Amino acid sequence: MRILLVEDDEALGDGVRVGLAQERFTVDWVKDGKEALAALETENYGLLLLDLGLPRLSGIELLKLIRGRGMTVPVIILTARDTVADRITGLDCGADDYVIKPFDLDELAARIRALTRRKMGRAEPLLVHGNIVLDPAAHKVTLDGAEVNLSPREFAVLRELMENTGIVLSRDRLEQSLYGWNEEVESNALEVHIHHLRRKLGARLIRTIRGVGYVIQKD
Ligand code: CA
């Protein structure tokens, strides 16, 4: 999943970016509200992490704008401890959750997973498909109970497909979830990841829909 981080504090922003990369999320980081709006208009994000005190366009103004335009991207606001009123305004303006600075990265990652589950209408934390179980928190995949070794990108592709079973994901959408702005998209890399996933988890797990993309059918 690709995440847009909007935070003007250099140290905090860098910490979040690095921490979430370790959680196998792709993170684009911008430092003001206008840049954030431009990014949201051009890229497909699974989540927005939004600081409220921002240059050029505040977090609340940005939130009102994007909700006014019908953008449904889930939003977690990052706020200071002494700003209860801001948190309430944020939630009432369409944010889904908040964390209070300084926050624990593990807690933030857990809230992201919880929000993703809710968005997909799922209560169960594990993603299960037949004999394959993916644990988003532990970054583990098992096949018939035995752990399967996946690279970080193979894991990210599988998580994206298992979170969207029955939906054909285009090559573009999958690549967007894998690569941030500063990363070169290697040509054929996606095909290679799919090939490895099929070899490790079974040839029939992921179907290719020619000219459209890839899908894991519902059980
Ligand atoms: Ca700030």
Side-chain angles (χ1 to χ4, degrees):
M1 181 168 73
R2 187 147 167 199
I3 294 174
L4 182 65
L5 166 65
V6 194
E7 171 60 71
D8 60 329
D9 182 299
E10 291 283 340
L12 182 62
D14 198 50
V16 172
R17 190 179 57 79
V18 170
L20 292 184
Q22 282 166 4
E23 296 283 333
R24 319 287 193 260
F25 293 117
T26 301
V27 180
D28 290 335
W29 175 21
V30 296
K31 296 165 194 175
D32 74 59
K34 288 225 161 122
E35 263 188 89
L37 187 61
L40 286 162
E41 281 168 342
T42 51
E43 309 280 350
N44 181 12
Y45 291 102
L47 185 88
L48 175 61
L49 293 177
L50 183 62
D51 178 30
L52 293 182
L54 290 168
R56 303 222 285 166
L57 185 69
S58 79
I60 296 290
E61 288 168 319
L62 176 69
L63 199 50
K64 283 183 182 162
L65 259 174
I66 64 171
R67 291 306 189 226
R69 292 182 191 182
M71 293 186 194
T72 58
V73 59
V75 176
I76 298 178
I77 47 186
L78 315 172
T79 82
R81 184 169 298 280
D82 53 351
T83 54
V84 181
D86 282 356
R87 294 204 288 279
I88 295 169
T89 309
L91 291 169
D92 283 340
C93 287
D96 300 274
D97 200 358
Y98 64 85
V99 288
I100 295 170
K101 298 174 185 175
F103 49 81
D104 185 283
L105 273 172
D106 289 339
E107 185 191 349
L108 178 62
R111 283 178 186 269
I112 292 171
R113 287 190 292 270
L115 201 47
T116 308
R117 280 203 300 277
R118 240 176 9 246
K119 188 177 88 179
M120 305 313 295
R122 204 155 50 79
E124 161 68 34
L126 300 177
L127 294 162
V128 182
H129 185 85
N131 54 353
I132 297 165
V133 179
L134 183 148
D135 183 338
H139 309 144
K140 260 175 57 175
V141 173
T142 59
L143 173 66
D144 289 322
E147 191 168 348
V148 180
N149 250 318
L150 299 184
S151 74
R153 287 221 159 108
E154 288 162 14
F155 180 89
V157 171
L158 184 64
R159 182 177 59 190
E160 203 72 13
L161 287 166
M162 286 183 78
E163 277 173 348
N164 295 283
T165 51
I167 299 169
V168 181
L169 299 182
S170 69
R171 185 200 163 91
D172 212 47
R173 158 82 191 272
L174 282 167
E175 280 178 351
Q176 276 216 12
S177 74
L178 286 184
Y179 298 96
W181 287 330
N182 44 5
E183 291 171 291
E184 193 80 21
V185 181
E186 314 132 64
S187 67
N188 287 327
L190 183 61
E191 280 82 355
V192 172
H193 298 320
I194 299 273
H195 173 77
H196 287 162
L197 285 169
R198 283 176 175 149
R199 186 164 51 73
K200 293 173 182 179
L201 297 168
R204 293 191 343 206
L205 173 67
I206 301 169
R207 281 189 55 202
T208 304
I209 309 295
R210 207 162 281 284
V212 186
Y214 299 97
V215 63
I216 293 180
Q217 300 293 9
K218 282 192 190 290
D219 273 331

